[in-house]
Amino acid sequence: MWIGGNWVEAESGKTYPVYNPATELEVAQVPLGGKADVDKAVAAARKALPKWSTKSQAERSQLVLKLATLLRESAKEIGELDTLEHGTPAKRAVFLAADTPGWFEWAAYSAKSLMGHTLPASPETLIYLQREPVGVVAIITPWNLPLLMIFQKLGPALALGNTCVIKPPSINSLTALKLAEIIEKLELPPGTVNVITGPGGTVGEALAAHHDVDMVAFTGSSETGKAIMSLASGTVKRLQLELGGKNPAIILDDADVNAAANAMAKQQTNNSGQICGSPGRFYVHEKVYDEFLEKFTVAMKKFVMGDPLDPKTELGPLVSAQHRDRVEGYIQSAIDEGAKVILGGKRPTTPPMNKGYYVLPTIITGITPKMKVAREEIFGPVACFMQPFKSDEEVIALANDNVYGLTSWVWTTDMARGMRFANQIQAGTVGLGQGRGGGGPEFPWGGFKESGIGKEGSLYGMLEFTNLKRIAVDLVTPKKSV
Ligand code: NDP
């Protein structure tokens, strides 16, 4: 682990294995961090805070930009690690490693462009507003996109003068350790960034509850998000929570069915379905239901599943045996509750996929609103088709009938109709047709309801990592009499 600018073992001296999900073989042992390591890392981050936060914005932004350059230079190596520990198909892994440092560039430039405000008070008073770093930020992230999830938080946190303790996902922590190796080259004040590996139940909880952590920036499941809210309440920490989704994809009767089927199949299988913003519930108008389902099925069958190291592979394994069991459990629950699996639903048996945690692209139909697969996030290559709908009012109510509110799609060729949907859907993002809004640092991303609190990306995401201070200056303070 990397604490206070030093490479250290866990205080316990223990390690745990990391496995390759495509081969089931162990690829590394990493330190099993615990509460004592968290205390050391938080103390290091606290000590670094005055040195890092008082550097000029120009110097901090320069260093953050340099980090983006160093990361791009290591993109091949980072991509290989992502393939090894996460099963990301090689071509995509290298693309992600080269593309995602853009988050640091965005943060470096937008931190430089933050401006202050003055408020009208009286001729005798000047009131101005100042943005300051929040302080020590704990960054706790999930395994589904191991580096991007860190970059989205680390970029703004660092650029704006905070110091950080990163707790990467325990099953995918090699890329985060590589990131620390790269950050080491920047020679930041020791402790500005720290990385602790280990389980959420100990390292994550200790960070969320720690009296000297000022903010928790978290991406993960809503269940863990709620636990973090409760742990963080003891010291009223700032929270940024990017949580789960069960995202409605609505296909109206005037949609371009072909375009919708192809685009949605791609979304469904992106990262083997392990994306918070994947479609979670398909609602298709009864007039185009059969046509859409047929085209969507054809598109789902086309993806090449295989060894992530093979450049032709588009679909890799799921991240772990435990997660595969969970996805299979959802498929079984759908069958038990009366839904029908019309594609996939099984593990592939042809080599090399007879090893590794693969699940074939799957389509389930005949789902009703109360079924488990209609309500909970599956996080796999599993498309859930709800029963066909008849009217706009009916489908808006169905789409909103869920605890999540992350993202959504409405496919129509009538933009006025689409905009009526956009106004009524309860989600942080509504994509009308192809225009999903896209990812990327310049766009805000974040959920409504149990999908989270706060935004990532854009100026809104930057401001999460600042405290706003009001400073009132009395311009006519009487002079001290001598
Ligand atoms: P988890 O919530 O299980 O874990 C996320 C992180 O929290 C991991 O580092 C985990 O550690 C840690 N953690 C686990 N328990 C605790 C705890 N009690 N206290 C503090 N930290 C804890 O999520 P997954 O890793 O399974 O990721 C999948 C989830 O992430 C999905 O729900 C998905 O929707 C969501 N997600 C949301 C995104 C968004 O932008 N809204 C983007 C990407 C994913 P460990 O690894 O050791 O378990």
Side-chain angles (χ1 to χ4, degrees):
M1 301 187 292
W2 199 49
I3 298 181
N6 297 307
W7 289 100
V8 295
E9 298 299 334
E11 283 285 311
S12 67
K14 291 185 186 155
T15 59
Y16 67 91
V18 170
Y19 295 98
N20 180 337
T23 61
E24 306 182 24
L25 297 174
E26 183 182 317
V27 290
Q29 286 278 333
V30 297
L32 183 70
K35 187 174 178 316
D37 305 290
V38 167
D39 287 341
K40 270 175 30 187
V42 173
R46 176 63 59 194
K47 194 166 165 209
L49 189 60
K51 296 192 196 94
W52 180 244
S53 61
T54 53
K55 278 191 189 299
S56 71
Q57 186 57 57
E59 192 180 351
R60 275 204 308 263
S61 287
Q62 199 58 42
L63 285 160
V64 172
L65 279 175
K66 193 168 165 201
L67 176 55
T69 305
L70 292 175
L71 282 164
R72 286 220 173 84
E73 284 169 10
S74 304
K76 190 166 173 292
E77 203 183 341
I78 291 172
E80 281 164 6
L81 274 179
D82 190 19
T83 300
L84 195 69
E85 68 170 351
H86 184 72
T88 310
K91 215 165 121 192
R92 177 177 151 82
V94 175
F95 164 77
L96 283 173
D99 183 60
T100 51
W103 279 82
F104 289 103
E105 282 153 357
W106 160 262
Y109 288 122
S110 52
K112 277 173 109 171
S113 59
L114 284 190
M115 286 188 287
H117 293 275
T118 58
L119 298 179
S122 73
E124 296 84 27
T125 314
L126 169 68
I127 294 186
Y128 66 95
L129 304 182
Q130 179 167 296
R131 295 247 166 220
E132 298 182 353
V134 181
V136 173
V137 179
I139 296 178
I140 305 178
T141 53
W143 47 257
N144 71 318
L145 286 161
L147 273 186
L148 173 65
M149 296 295 125
I150 295 175
F151 291 3
Q152 290 173 331
K153 301 173 191 303
L154 183 64
L158 262 190
L160 291 163
N162 301 278
T163 55
C164 304
V165 180
I166 301 170
K167 186 250 167 291
S170 42
I171 55 172
N172 277 180
S173 38
L174 301 184
T175 43
L177 292 169
K178 185 79 207 162
L179 169 69
E181 249 178 64
I182 293 168
I183 294 178
E184 190 177 16
K185 295 184 189 153
L186 296 175
E187 297 184 3
L188 305 180
T192 302
V193 180
N194 307 271
V195 178
I196 308 191
T197 50
T202 48
V203 174
E205 286 198 7
L207 281 169
H210 204 288
H211 67 278
D212 219 12
V213 168
D214 301 294
M215 171 174 179
V216 181
F218 170 76
T219 300
S221 63
S222 299
E223 194 188 351
T224 308
K226 289 177 196 173
I228 286 177
M229 277 183 99
S230 152
L231 290 162
S233 68
T235 49
V236 195
K237 290 180 181 38
R238 169 79 56 88
L239 292 177
Q240 182 210 39
L241 303 175
E242 301 296 338
L243 309 177
K246 186 71 184 170
N247 312 303
I250 301 172
I251 321 297
L252 297 179
D253 48 345
D254 63 352
D256 178 338
V257 171
N258 203 34
N262 286 308
M264 290 291 92
K266 221 168 170 183
Q267 294 281 346
Q268 188 70 70
T269 49
N270 184 9
N271 202 27
S272 299
Q274 303 167 120
I275 296 274
C276 55
S278 287
R281 293 170 284 154
F282 280 93
Y283 294 99
V284 187
H285 194 282
E286 60 176 7
K287 284 192 192 150
V288 291
Y289 183 89
D290 290 342
E291 185 191 352
F292 180 82
L293 183 58
E294 190 195 322
K295 293 196 157 116
F296 183 84
T297 309
V298 170
M300 287 286 274
K301 282 182 182 166
K302 276 193 194 148
F303 296 109
V304 181
M305 178 173 255
D307 176 359
L309 289 171
D310 184 335
K312 288 196 290 300
T313 295
E314 294 168 305
L315 258 174
L318 296 179
V319 76
S320 66
Q322 191 193 13
H323 187 57
R324 180 184 56 189
D325 291 350
R326 190 180 136 95
V327 170
E328 289 177 335
Y330 276 115
I331 297 171
Q332 190 55 49
S333 84
I335 297 168
D336 295 345
E337 289 186 281
K340 206 167 156 201
V341 174
I342 63 155
L343 181 74
K346 295 191 288 258
R347 301 176 187 185
T349 47
T350 42
M353 294 170 294
N354 52 344
K355 278 240 157 59
Y357 312 125
Y358 292 87
V359 171
L360 287 168
T362 298
I363 300 176
I364 307 175
T365 57
I367 298 174
T368 56
K370 293 227 165 358
M371 289 182 188
K372 199 170 163 183
V373 290
R375 312 214 68 81
E376 298 181 19
E377 189 181 33
I378 300 179
F379 227 54
V382 182
C384 294
F385 276 71
M386 308 300 297
Q387 288 172 328
F389 69 87
K390 288 188 174 61
S391 74
D392 291 6
E393 294 67 34
E394 175 196 1
V395 75
I396 289 170
L398 287 166
N400 287 336
D401 176 25
N402 195 275
V403 295
Y404 294 110
L406 188 56
T407 190
S408 57
W409 294 264
V410 181
W411 284 85
T412 172
T413 44
D414 175 352
M415 280 306 137
R417 188 180 180 193
M419 285 164 75
R420 285 195 294 277
F421 273 80
N423 290 335
Q424 293 181 66
I425 299 264
Q426 298 161 355
T429 301
V430 181
L432 295 183
Q434 292 277 19
R436 192 186 148 222
E442 56 276 43
F443 307 109
W445 175 260
F448 290 5
K449 304 196 280 189
E450 293 190 19
S451 289
I453 298 176
K455 297 289 175 200
E456 261 173 358
S458 79
L459 188 59
Y460 299 104
M462 294 291 293
L463 297 181
E464 303 275 343
F465 293 86
T466 65
N467 273 333
L468 183 65
K469 183 183 275 179
R470 185 182 85 183
I471 298 175
V473 185
D474 181 350
L475 298 173
V476 290
T477 305
K479 297 224 165 31
K480 207 171 157 190
S481 52
V482 275

